[in-house]
Amino acid sequence: MASATVPLLDDDTIPFGEEDEMRDPSRAGQKYTHPYVTFFHLFFRGAAIVIYMFCGWFSESFITSFVFVVLFLSADFWTVKNISGRLLVGLRWWNYVDDDGVSHWVFESKNSRINKHEQRVFWLGLILCPVFWSLFFLLALFGLKFKWLLLVMIAIALNAANLYGYIKCNYGASKDLNSAATDFVKTQLFKNAMDIMTKPSAAQPPTNVRPTGVV
């Protein structure tokens, strides 16, 4: 968590934790309160995966494919780190250098209203995409495609950086990654189990009861 001595970011036009005051009241009660942010949270990382998988259909140039994938990965990294994490789940991580030249990592979490649908989309996108890139890494490694291996390693590094940063934000900077990841998995399993248990069952159709005759 951020301490009182942590300086504000230079581009922090809206103080962290006060985003709710800028929320559009007309979207109250809607399924997604930040639909455009939710869309671009998935768009850039999804586009990078699609281009990587199907770039051979459109161009035989490795350089062209490399540049486009890296551009989408960079846009995704910036969007997730600076926008979607802050608005969708109320989390932010960043780095600053103090007057002594020492680098400090800051992991922040705010107490605010979080849209459950947006929260689910955020974490699914954050977790599933590194899984896809890990599979691509194995395919490139065993297929001896070393030039593609470099591209996949860049994708894994950028995706893993955001995943690590937000897990630390969510469970506290004092915890190590293993315990934070374990707590995260336990929490998600518990939530899924509770959703299944509390989900209302379908209404049973009324049974037809025939009246008995009067003796």
Side-chain angles (χ1 to χ4, degrees), residues 30-32 38 114-122:
Q30 295 187 5
K31 185 175 182 180
Y32 294 99
T38 305
I114 301 299
N115 185 294
K116 298 299 181 183
H117 299 288
E118 293 178 345
Q119 184 182 46
R120 187 178 297 109
V121 170
F122 176 85

Side-chain angles (χ1 to χ4, degrees), residues 52 135-146 148-149 152:
Y52 177 83
L135 293 175
F136 295 152
F137 176 83
L138 295 176
L139 292 174
L141 179 63
F142 290 110
L144 302 179
K145 299 178 180 179
F146 297 111
W148 293 104
L149 198 62
V152 174

Side-chain angles (χ1 to χ4, degrees), residues 9-201:
L9 291 175
D10 293 336
D11 59 348
D12 212 4
T13 55
I14 302 176
F16 183 69
E18 298 183 8
E19 294 84 354
D20 290 341
E21 299 179 3
M22 307 297 295
R23 182 175 297 178
D24 186 358
S26 64
R27 295 192 176 277
Q30 295 187 5
K31 185 175 182 180
Y32 294 99
T33 54
H34 305 93
Y36 297 110
V37 177
T38 305
F39 171 77
F40 283 105
H41 174 73
L42 298 176
F43 173 75
F44 289 123
R45 54 184 45 216
I49 292 176
V50 171
I51 293 175
Y52 177 83
M53 294 177 62
F54 302 106
C55 59
W57 293 9
F58 306 101
S59 174
E60 296 182 357
S61 172
F62 169 76
I63 299 298
T64 301
S65 302
F66 186 95
V67 169
F68 272 97
V69 173
V70 170
L71 284 176
F72 277 100
L73 287 172
S74 301
D76 168 70
F77 178 82
W78 186 89
T79 301
V80 174
K81 180 179 180 296
N82 297 297
I83 300 178
S84 64
R86 177 174 179 172
L87 295 179
L88 301 185
V89 291
L91 303 174
R92 182 175 68 169
W93 65 274
W94 51 288
N95 172 269
Y96 74 96
V97 179
D98 60 20
D99 296 335
D100 297 327
V102 179
S103 179
H104 299 272
W105 292 94
V106 183
F107 303 92
E108 297 178 304
S109 175
K110 66 176 182 179
N111 295 321
S112 62
R113 294 172 296 172
I114 301 299
N115 185 294
K116 298 299 181 183
H117 299 288
E118 293 178 345
Q119 184 182 46
R120 187 178 297 109
V121 170
F122 176 85
W123 287 110
L124 283 177
L126 202 66
I127 294 172
L128 290 180
C129 289
V131 173
F132 280 107
W133 287 112
S134 298
L135 293 175
F136 295 152
F137 176 83
L138 295 176
L139 292 174
L141 179 63
F142 290 110
L144 302 179
K145 299 178 180 179
F146 297 111
K147 61 180 182 180
W148 293 104
L149 198 62
L150 174 61
L151 178 58
V152 174
M153 290 174 65
I154 294 174
I156 292 176
L158 293 176
N159 279 261
N162 267 326
L163 179 60
Y164 174 83
Y166 282 116
I167 288 178
K168 295 280 282 185
C169 290
N170 199 35
Y171 292 99
S174 59
K175 288 189 176 183
D176 58 68
L177 183 59
N178 290 331
S179 61
T182 302
D183 290 344
F184 176 78
V185 172
K186 289 180 180 179
T187 302
Q188 294 303 313
L189 291 176
F190 178 75
K191 286 182 179 179
N192 292 335
M194 292 300 296
D195 289 342
I196 294 174
M197 293 175 62
T198 57
K199 184 178 181 181
S201 59

